[in-house]
Amino acid sequence: YNSFIELFQSILNQSLCPKEVIIIDSSDCNKIKTYINNINNIDIDINYIKVFNKYPGEGRNEGIKNSKYEHIAFLDSKTIPEKNWLYDQVKNLKDNDYDCVFGKTRYVALNNFQKSINAATFGNIDHVTTPGTLIKKEILFENNFIEGVRTADDLEWRERLINKKYKIGVP
């Protein structure tokens, strides 16, 4: 819940706000729904969808099916975007006539144990990721995320887009 609040506030504070936010809630409580129901005075369509026992790819596919707009951007509950993230992604997509611009993530360690794990795995550099990605919706209809797997559906999805020779920007 706290991660969601931080993420949602960062979306509201973007230099370019989205027209729509689709929330796929797989939590086992209704805190997020209550929070969304109490939001007033924002000029963003909010589409709240509660799911049970869904893996990440299945949740993304559900959001894609329910989106109303031509472009879709992905974020995960613990991936907090920089203030100009959406503006920069839209500009990069349009200026370069890309079909998709992948996201980038820098993993942040919060304690000594996490710092050790981070140093041994991700390091202190940006990585190409699905969170942060902006893509034309029409491409997603032909390239859904695989379902029934707990992890790596997004790695397979990005590799599939690359292999199909879409025009992709990499941050």
Side-chain angles (χ1 to χ4, degrees), residues 6 15 18 45 57 59 64 66-67 71 89 94 101 112 114-115:
E6 184 179 1
S15 59
D45 290 339
I64 292 163
N66 284 280
S67 175
H71 294 92
Q89 289 294 76
K94 289 183 177 182
V101 180
N112 286 335
Q114 290 177 355
K115 288 177 184 175

Side-chain angles (χ1 to χ4, degrees), residues 7-72:
L7 170 60
F8 192 75
Q9 289 302 315
S10 74
I11 292 170
L12 296 179
N13 291 321
Q14 286 291 302
S15 59
L16 173 65
C17 283
K19 296 175 183 172
E20 174 184 49
V21 173
I22 299 174
I23 300 161
I24 306 296
D25 181 5
S26 62
S27 67
D28 56 2
C29 66
N30 288 318
K31 285 181 174 182
I32 292 172
K33 182 178 183 180
T34 301
Y35 178 84
I36 294 303
N37 288 340
N38 291 319
I39 293 175
N40 298 310
N41 301 326
I42 63 169
D43 196 24
I44 299 173
D45 290 339
I46 299 176
N47 187 347
Y48 174 86
I49 301 169
K50 183 72 170 181
V51 297
F52 298 96
N53 301 321
K54 298 265 186 186
Y55 291 125
E58 295 161 345
R60 288 186 195 101
N61 289 339
E62 188 71 28
I64 292 163
K65 284 190 291 190
N66 284 280
S67 175
K68 302 173 196 164
Y69 294 93
E70 175 183 354
H71 294 92
I72 295 178

Side-chain angles (χ1 to χ4, degrees), residues 4 16 34 41 53 67 76 93 96-97 117 139 151 166 169:
F4 167 77
L16 173 65
T34 301
N41 301 326
N53 301 321
S67 175
D76 285 350
L93 187 104
N96 296 292
D97 195 32
I117 297 295
I139 292 170
T151 61
Y166 287 106

Side-chain angles (χ1 to χ4, degrees), residues 88-100:
D88 290 343
Q89 289 294 76
V90 169
K91 184 173 180 357
N92 196 3
L93 187 104
K94 289 183 177 182
D95 288 354
N96 296 292
D97 195 32
Y98 287 137
D99 297 310
C100 172

Side-chain angles (χ1 to χ4, degrees), residues 100-142:
C100 172
V101 180
F102 288 146
K104 67 177 179 179
T105 299
R106 179 171 295 173
Y107 297 92
V108 178
L110 302 176
N111 58 46
N112 286 335
F113 178 73
Q114 290 177 355
K115 288 177 184 175
S116 296
I117 297 295
N118 199 24
T121 56
F122 299 110
N124 193 28
I125 59 172
D126 296 335
H127 296 270
V128 174
T129 57
T130 300
T133 294
L134 177 67
I135 186 168
K136 294 176 180 176
K137 184 178 178 180
E138 65 190 47
I139 292 170
L140 293 168
F141 287 133
E142 301 170 9

